[in-house]
CSV table of all heavy atoms in Angstrom, one decimal:
chain,number,residue,atom,x,y,z
A,10,ASN,N,-9.7,141.4,-77.1
A,10,ASN,CA,-8.7,141.0,-76.1
A,10,ASN,C,-9.2,139.8,-75.3
A,10,ASN,O,-8.3,139.1,-74.7
A,10,ASN,CB,-8.4,142.1,-75.2
A,10,ASN,CG,-7.5,143.2,-75.8
A,10,ASN,OD1,-6.6,142.8,-76.6
A,10,ASN,ND2,-7.7,144.4,-75.5
A,61,ASN,N,3.1,145.0,-76.1
A,61,ASN,CA,1.6,145.4,-76.0
A,61,ASN,C,1.4,146.7,-76.7
A,61,ASN,O,2.3,147.5,-77.1
A,61,ASN,CB,1.2,145.4,-74.6
A,61,ASN,CG,2.0,146.3,-73.7
A,61,ASN,OD1,2.5,147.3,-74.1
A,61,ASN,ND2,2.1,146.0,-72.4
A,62,GLY,N,0.1,147.0,-76.8
A,62,GLY,CA,-0.3,148.2,-77.5
A,62,GLY,C,0.0,149.5,-76.8
A,62,GLY,O,0.4,150.5,-77.5
A,63,THR,N,-0.1,149.5,-75.5
A,63,THR,CA,0.3,150.7,-74.8
A,63,THR,C,1.8,150.9,-75.0
A,63,THR,O,2.3,152.1,-75.2
A,63,THR,CB,0.0,150.5,-73.3
A,63,THR,OG1,-1.4,150.3,-73.1
A,63,THR,CG2,0.4,151.7,-72.4
A,64,GLY,N,2.6,149.9,-74.9
A,64,GLY,CA,4.1,150.0,-75.1
A,64,GLY,C,4.4,150.5,-76.5
A,64,GLY,O,5.3,151.3,-76.7
A,66,ASN,N,2.5,152.4,-78.4
A,66,ASN,CA,2.1,153.8,-78.5
A,66,ASN,C,3.1,154.7,-77.7
A,66,ASN,O,3.6,155.7,-78.2
A,66,ASN,CB,0.7,154.1,-77.9
A,66,ASN,CG,-0.4,153.5,-78.8
A,66,ASN,OD1,-0.2,153.3,-80.0
A,66,ASN,ND2,-1.6,153.3,-78.3
A,87,HIS,N,-7.2,156.1,-77.1
A,87,HIS,CA,-6.7,155.1,-76.1
A,87,HIS,C,-5.6,155.7,-75.3
A,87,HIS,O,-5.5,155.5,-74.1
A,87,HIS,CB,-6.3,153.8,-76.8
A,87,HIS,CG,-6.2,152.7,-75.9
A,87,HIS,ND1,-5.0,152.3,-75.3
A,87,HIS,CD2,-7.1,151.7,-75.5
A,87,HIS,CE1,-5.2,151.3,-74.5
A,87,HIS,NE2,-6.4,150.9,-74.7
A,92,GLU,N,-4.5,154.4,-71.0
A,92,GLU,CA,-3.1,154.0,-70.8
A,92,GLU,C,-2.6,154.6,-69.5
A,92,GLU,O,-1.3,154.7,-69.4
A,92,GLU,CB,-2.3,154.4,-72.1
A,92,GLU,CG,-2.9,153.6,-73.3
A,92,GLU,CD,-2.1,153.7,-74.6
A,92,GLU,OE1,-1.1,154.5,-74.6
A,92,GLU,OE2,-2.5,153.1,-75.5
A,140,SER,N,-6.3,157.0,-84.3
A,140,SER,CA,-6.5,155.6,-84.2
A,140,SER,C,-7.3,155.1,-85.4
A,140,SER,O,-8.4,155.6,-85.7
A,140,SER,CB,-7.3,155.2,-82.9
A,140,SER,OG,-6.6,155.8,-81.8
A,142,SER,N,-8.6,151.4,-86.8
A,142,SER,CA,-9.9,152.0,-86.7
A,142,SER,C,-10.0,152.7,-85.3
A,142,SER,O,-9.2,152.5,-84.5
A,142,SER,CB,-11.0,150.9,-86.8
A,142,SER,OG,-10.8,149.9,-85.9
A,144,GLU,N,-11.6,154.2,-81.6
A,144,GLU,CA,-12.1,153.6,-80.4
A,144,GLU,C,-13.6,153.4,-80.4
A,144,GLU,O,-14.1,152.6,-79.6
A,144,GLU,CB,-11.7,154.4,-79.2
A,144,GLU,CG,-10.2,154.4,-78.8
A,144,GLU,CD,-9.3,155.3,-79.8
A,144,GLU,OE1,-9.8,155.9,-80.7
A,144,GLU,OE2,-8.1,155.2,-79.6
A,171,ASP,N,-2.3,154.9,-84.3
A,171,ASP,CA,-2.6,153.8,-83.4
A,171,ASP,C,-3.4,152.8,-84.2
A,171,ASP,O,-4.6,152.9,-84.3
A,171,ASP,CB,-3.3,154.3,-82.1
A,171,ASP,CG,-3.6,153.1,-81.2
A,171,ASP,OD1,-3.5,151.9,-81.6
A,171,ASP,OD2,-4.0,153.4,-80.0
A,173,ALA,N,-3.9,149.6,-83.5
A,173,ALA,CA,-4.2,148.4,-82.8
A,173,ALA,C,-5.2,147.5,-83.6
A,173,ALA,O,-5.2,146.3,-83.5
A,173,ALA,CB,-4.8,148.7,-81.4
A,174,ARG,N,-6.1,148.2,-84.3
A,174,ARG,CA,-7.1,147.5,-85.2
A,174,ARG,C,-7.0,148.0,-86.6
A,174,ARG,O,-8.0,148.2,-87.3
A,174,ARG,CB,-8.5,147.7,-84.6
A,174,ARG,CG,-8.7,147.1,-83.2
A,174,ARG,CD,-10.1,147.1,-82.7
A,174,ARG,NE,-10.1,146.5,-81.4
A,174,ARG,CZ,-9.9,147.3,-80.2
A,174,ARG,NH1,-9.7,148.6,-80.3
A,174,ARG,NH2,-9.9,146.7,-79.1
A,204,LYS,N,-5.1,141.9,-80.8
A,204,LYS,CA,-6.5,141.9,-81.0
A,204,LYS,C,-7.0,141.1,-82.2
A,204,LYS,O,-8.2,140.9,-82.4
A,204,LYS,CB,-7.0,143.4,-81.1
A,204,LYS,CG,-6.8,144.1,-79.8
A,204,LYS,CD,-6.8,145.6,-79.9
A,204,LYS,CE,-6.7,146.3,-78.6
A,204,LYS,NZ,-5.5,145.8,-77.8
A,211,GLU,N,2.9,143.3,-80.6
A,211,GLU,CA,2.5,144.4,-81.5
A,211,GLU,C,3.8,144.8,-82.2
A,211,GLU,O,4.9,144.4,-81.8
A,211,GLU,CB,2.0,145.6,-80.7
A,211,GLU,CG,1.0,145.3,-79.6
A,211,GLU,CD,-0.4,145.0,-80.1
A,211,GLU,OE1,-1.0,145.8,-80.8
A,211,GLU,OE2,-1.0,143.9,-79.8
B,401,PLP,C1,-7.1,151.6,-79.9
B,401,PLP,C2,-6.3,150.9,-78.9
B,401,PLP,N1,-5.0,151.2,-78.9
B,401,PLP,C3,-4.1,150.6,-78.0
B,401,PLP,C4,-4.5,149.6,-77.2
B,401,PLP,C5,-3.5,149.1,-76.2
B,401,PLP,O1,-3.4,147.8,-76.0
B,401,PLP,P1,-2.8,147.1,-74.7
B,401,PLP,O2,-3.9,146.8,-73.8
B,401,PLP,O3,-2.2,145.9,-75.4
B,401,PLP,O4,-1.8,147.9,-74.1
B,401,PLP,C6,-5.9,149.2,-77.2
B,401,PLP,C7,-6.4,148.1,-76.3
B,401,PLP,O5,-7.5,147.9,-76.1
B,401,PLP,C8,-6.8,149.9,-78.1
B,401,PLP,O6,-8.1,149.6,-78.1
Side-chain angles (χ1 to χ4, degrees):
N10 283 322
N61 56 29
T63 301
N66 287 340
H87 199 270
E92 297 187 357
S140 304
S142 54
E144 289 75 5
D171 179 344
R174 298 187 181 86
K204 291 163 180 51
E211 315 281 304

